[in-house]
Amino acid sequence: MNRKVRFSNFSIRRILSNDLSILDNARLRLLYYGLALSFFTLSVILADVIYQHHIILSITTGMMLVSSVALFKFLTYRPRWIAISHLILIVATIANLINIFIAIQNVDVVTVEVIIMIMLFGFYMLGKEAGLIYSLLNIVPVLTLLLLQYSNNYVLPFKPEKVDQTTTIIAVFACLALIAFIHSHFYNAFIKTIKELKETSDKQTELTAEFTLAIEKAQKSSEAKSEFLSTMSHEIRTPLNAVIGMSNLLITGNPRPDQRENLEVLKFSAGNLLSIVNDVLDFNKIESGRLVFENTKFNLPELMQNICGGQMMTAQVKGILFKLDVDSTLNRKMLFGDPTRITQIVFNLVSNAIKFTADGNIAVKATCIEDRHNRVTVNFSVKDTGIGIEQKRLNLIFEPFIQESTSTTRQYGGTGLGLAIVKRLLELQGLKMKVTSKPGVGSEFSFNMEFPVATEAFEPSTSNLPQITENGQTLSAIRMLIAEDNPVNVMLMKKLLSKWNIVPSIAENGERAVELIQYGNFDIILMDLQMPVMNGFDAAKEIRKMPDPKKSSIPIIALTASALFDIRERVQESGMNDYVSKPFIPNELFEKIQNLVANPTISKFIVAGKPVAPQ
């Protein structure tokens, strides 16, 4: 509403506003034209009652005339229609009561029309409650007067003023005109409002349809992105598997010092590329909202040792003192949580600390700050003496693809996704990261995490299950089938398995693998998932349907370079026992083979084609 109009304004255009609804603008118009019409009508009536020497009617009519002029000016200067409406109704009610109780001392047709006009004006302008109040303020006194007159109990010491027919005709005509004007004005406003609502509804329907279409497109785009990432992951991981695998094989083959140095550089570069691919895939998985936290039992000191074991060696190579300190109260406790995500968080923080620390030390701590027997709260802290971070950039380092500065990116490399992944993983669990840092001095990243505690105590494993060893004779007796269509990967697998005294059979696709299982005997299958003719999922399902229980229950390990979010579920649903991601770590694959071959009961976990994958 325009509140900058001058006092001299008399135009209705300057008090209307596009910010108001159709009904509110209609109310302003009604006040504007209604007050103008009332001014002329009251002027005629005032002249008539003065001419007839009706003192009380002259006073009330004059009061209403002055009020209409003042309210009209107030409206054109400060268009506060609610306040003005209340003032009009108050003045009209007072004038009406004075007229019927004092001036004419009776209820006539004009009185009834005035009450009807007050009722309509109150309901239309101010709503149900105000309209009801003003209606009762006029109706109740009128009924009271009629009852008093009926019982002959209403007598004043002076005679009422007699109004002639001319005044009555003018008043009746004016009231009917105002009543008709109020009805017609708001009827048009209501019709316009209904049309506007219909148009808005139609637009809303169109917008809803467009929004639904946009959601469908976004879903298809998300699915396409996931498929693209899966395909690109497969295409990148497959050659990386060969590069890293061959590098490992060549390094174990006693190369010359200069050859070893070249191989280490090759392996390191391939590892960096794999780390970048993994960061992008992990971040996409988190952002897609498809990440599900597990709730399994684990021992925190043992987990921290596993996380930091390899990192200690990396720090030692750089000449950095690495210290791991885990609270001794946690040694014999079994906690419930997601060790995979804890590993991801701590590993990223430690890797960053090593990356950005040239000399000095790194301290990793896990401190029990609250022990309530059935629940513990642990503070994780990673502190370094590295390059540090400026205070103003502390929030930026947690944004994806952003590092402390461009020079940092050039000097240290990386995608800038590590801390973004850490932040998202903590936020999904309702946790926050605390960072203290000073340039040139170092940084400390810490957070608190609460864990339920298992009833049983942690007992370190004393047995070396499974009993198969790399140089044992039992490995050579393993009958293994490898379903793999990539010849480079086949060559790599043959070279790797030859070190374990295993000579595998090869199937170039899933269909061929099913045929070999039907006519041969094998102890374990390594199944690639993306193959021509028949993929690994379908091949596994066909094997599980075989009538021979020995063949249908044969352990199957999936070898996958895919980045699909539901890969674990798909592997289990197809009847496979476990999976290894390419590029795989030889020791990891060797351990899974040991578990499945040395422990035949694991293969019995398959129920209705759905195995329980080993942990």
Side-chain angles (χ1 to χ4, degrees):
M1 186 177 292
N2 186 3
R3 297 185 179 275
K4 296 183 179 180
V5 294
R6 295 180 180 180
F7 183 77
S8 59
N9 174 59
F10 286 96
S11 173
I12 189 174
R13 293 182 180 179
R14 294 182 181 178
I15 65 175
L16 298 177
S17 173
N18 292 329
D19 295 334
L20 297 175
S21 66
I22 293 177
L23 283 176
D24 287 345
N25 278 317
R27 290 183 174 108
L28 287 173
R29 289 190 180 92
L30 176 65
L31 287 174
Y32 183 86
Y33 294 112
L35 287 171
L37 181 60
S38 298
F39 171 76
F40 291 110
T41 304
L42 290 169
S43 298
V44 174
I45 295 175
L46 180 61
D48 184 64
V49 294
I50 291 175
Y51 177 76
Q52 297 182 43
H53 303 289
H54 296 318
I55 298 174
I56 299 176
L57 287 174
S58 298
I59 293 173
T60 56
T61 306
M63 178 185 69
M64 295 177 67
L65 178 63
V66 172
S67 298
S68 65
V69 173
L71 292 174
F72 183 83
K73 181 66 256 171
F74 184 34
L75 176 69
T76 56
Y77 179 54
R78 290 290 183 266
R80 298 169 184 171
W81 59 267
I82 296 178
I84 294 171
S85 299
H86 280 292
L87 290 173
I88 289 174
L89 289 168
I90 291 171
V91 171
T93 300
I94 292 172
N96 188 42
L97 295 179
I98 291 173
N99 286 337
I100 64 174
F101 278 95
I102 300 175
I104 64 174
Q105 300 177 25
N106 194 11
V107 177
D108 58 8
V109 65
V110 176
T111 303
V112 175
E113 288 184 343
V114 169
I115 293 175
I116 293 173
M117 186 168 58
I118 289 174
M119 292 172 60
L120 292 175
F121 188 84
F123 280 106
Y124 282 145
M125 293 297 297
L126 299 175
K128 178 181 177 181
E129 292 183 1
L132 185 60
I133 291 172
Y134 285 110
S135 298
L136 292 175
L137 287 176
N138 285 269
I139 293 172
V140 172
V142 169
L143 292 176
T144 303
L145 177 62
L146 291 174
L147 290 173
L148 290 173
Q149 287 179 338
Y150 178 76
S151 60
N152 297 318
N153 290 325
Y154 187 76
V155 179
L156 293 180
F158 54 87
K159 293 181 178 181
E161 296 176 342
K162 298 295 182 180
V163 180
D164 64 7
Q165 193 68 19
T166 304
T167 305
T168 302
I169 292 172
I170 294 172
V172 169
F173 176 79
C175 289
L176 289 175
L178 284 172
I179 292 172
F181 177 69
I182 292 172
H183 269 302
S184 64
H185 190 76
F186 275 103
Y187 176 79
N188 292 331
F190 289 146
I191 293 299
K192 288 182 181 178
T193 302
I194 291 171
K195 288 182 179 179
E196 186 181 68
L197 288 174
K198 187 178 183 303
E199 291 175 358
T200 303
S201 177
D202 292 340
K203 290 180 180 179
Q204 187 68 37
T205 302
E206 293 177 3
L207 288 174
T208 302
E210 292 177 2
F211 182 68
T212 303
L213 183 61
I215 291 177
E216 291 176 357
K217 288 182 178 180
Q219 290 175 341
K220 290 180 180 179
S221 175
S222 178
E223 292 172 1
K225 183 178 72 171
S226 298
E227 291 296 332
F228 171 77
L229 285 173
S230 176
T231 302
M232 291 305 298
S233 167
H234 183 270
E235 296 304 317
I236 294 174
R237 287 170 183 263
T238 298
L240 271 179
N241 180 51
V243 172
I244 294 175
M246 286 298 181
S247 299
N248 285 327
L249 289 173
L250 291 172
I251 289 172
T252 59
N254 297 322
R256 297 193 313 267
D258 60 322
Q259 291 175 331
R260 175 177 288 275
E261 182 179 355
N262 292 337
L263 289 171
E264 291 290 352
V265 170
L266 178 64
K267 181 181 176 182
F268 177 78
S269 299
N272 276 349
L273 179 57
L274 178 62
S275 177
I276 292 171
V277 172
N278 288 339
D279 280 349
V280 173
L281 295 174
D282 284 340
F283 184 76
N284 180 68
K285 185 176 183 179
I286 294 169
E287 289 295 289
S288 69
R290 301 185 185 181
L291 185 67
V292 178
F293 289 93
E294 296 180 352
N295 192 33
T296 59
K297 286 190 291 187
F298 68 97
N299 177 253
L300 186 59
E302 185 180 54
L303 180 67
M304 294 296 290
Q305 287 289 346
N306 292 337
I307 296 172
C308 297
Q311 301 283 55
M312 288 179 180
M313 298 179 62
T314 305
Q316 288 173 1
V317 171
K318 292 186 67 173
I320 302 170
L321 178 62
F322 192 106
K323 183 180 179 182
L324 172 63
D325 183 12
V326 182
D327 200 320
S328 58
T329 60
L330 300 170
N331 286 343
R332 292 182 59 80
K333 291 183 182 294
M334 290 295 290
L335 309 181
F336 284 98
D338 191 334
T340 302
R341 299 307 165 193
I342 296 172
T343 300
Q344 200 169 7
I345 293 170
V346 176
F347 185 86
N348 271 316
L349 293 176
V350 175
S351 296
N352 266 9
I354 295 174
K355 181 191 294 186
F356 297 114
T357 302
D359 52 52
N361 60 79
I362 294 172
V364 181
K365 293 183 179 180
T367 308
C368 181
I369 59 176
E370 187 176 4
D371 187 350
R372 299 194 299 273
H373 300 295
N374 62 335
R375 301 187 78 85
V376 295
T377 302
V378 180
N379 174 261
F380 294 87
S381 170
V382 178
K383 187 175 183 180
D384 63 64
T385 57
I387 60 176
I389 308 162
E390 293 183 9
Q391 191 70 27
K392 63 182 180 181
R393 297 190 65 84
L394 282 179
N395 291 329
L396 295 178
I397 61 173
F398 290 102
E399 295 301 317
F401 308 106
I402 292 179
Q403 292 188 344
E404 199 273 335
S405 65
T406 54
S407 61
T408 301
T409 305
R410 290 194 298 269
Q411 183 176 354
Y412 297 97
T415 61
L417 280 176
L419 289 179
I421 291 172
V422 168
K423 180 186 178 184
R424 299 295 197 278
L425 287 174
L426 290 176
E427 286 178 344
L428 288 173
Q429 300 174 80
L431 306 175
K432 288 186 177 181
M433 174 73 69
K434 181 182 178 182
V435 186
T436 56
S437 185
K438 188 175 181 181
V441 177
S443 306
E444 181 177 5
F445 294 80
S446 63
F447 61 93
N448 296 335
M449 188 174 288
E450 189 178 86
F451 302 96
V453 180
T455 54
E456 70 271 20
F458 171 68
E459 295 293 342
S461 176
T462 55
S463 60
N464 293 319
L465 286 177
Q467 285 76 28
I468 298 177
T469 58
E470 286 195 47
N471 54 5
Q473 294 298 319
T474 51
L475 271 180
S476 60
I478 292 179
R479 296 165 295 182
M480 179 182 292
L481 174 65
I482 299 177
E484 172 67 69
D485 64 308
N486 188 297
V488 176
N489 285 340
V490 170
M491 179 179 67
L492 172 63
M493 293 300 297
K494 284 182 176 180
K495 288 181 177 291
L496 175 63
L497 294 172
S498 66
K499 293 182 175 294
W500 301 341
N501 298 324
I502 298 175
V503 180
S505 300
I506 307 298
E508 62 275 11
N509 56 62
E511 186 178 74
R512 179 59 178 160
V514 174
E515 291 177 357
L516 290 177
I517 294 296
Q518 285 176 335
Y519 300 109
N521 295 312
F522 296 94
D523 300 309
I524 193 167
I525 304 171
L526 302 185
M527 182 81 73
D528 186 34
L529 297 181
Q530 296 187 5
M531 295 181 292
V533 185
M534 180 183 289
N535 62 44
F537 297 112
D538 294 337
K541 291 177 182 178
E542 292 299 320
I543 293 171
R544 295 302 182 217
K545 293 177 183 177
M546 289 182 178
D548 187 344
K550 290 185 178 180
K551 296 182 184 294
S552 63
S553 62
I554 184 172
I556 304 175
I557 299 177
L559 299 178
T560 175
S562 174
L564 288 175
F565 303 133
D566 57 348
I567 189 66
R568 178 189 290 270
E569 289 76 11
R570 293 186 63 186
V571 165
Q572 291 181 352
E573 288 174 0
S574 63
M576 289 182 266
N577 299 73
D578 207 343
Y579 75 98
V580 176
S581 296
K582 299 177 184 177
F584 57 82
I585 301 171
N587 290 341
E588 179 186 0
L589 177 61
F590 183 78
E591 181 181 351
K592 291 182 184 292
I593 294 173
Q594 284 182 317
N595 287 336
L596 291 170
V597 175
N599 296 277
T601 54
I602 293 180
S603 62
K604 295 180 182 178
F605 290 164
I606 301 169
V607 179
K610 293 185 178 181
V612 177
Q615 298 297 323

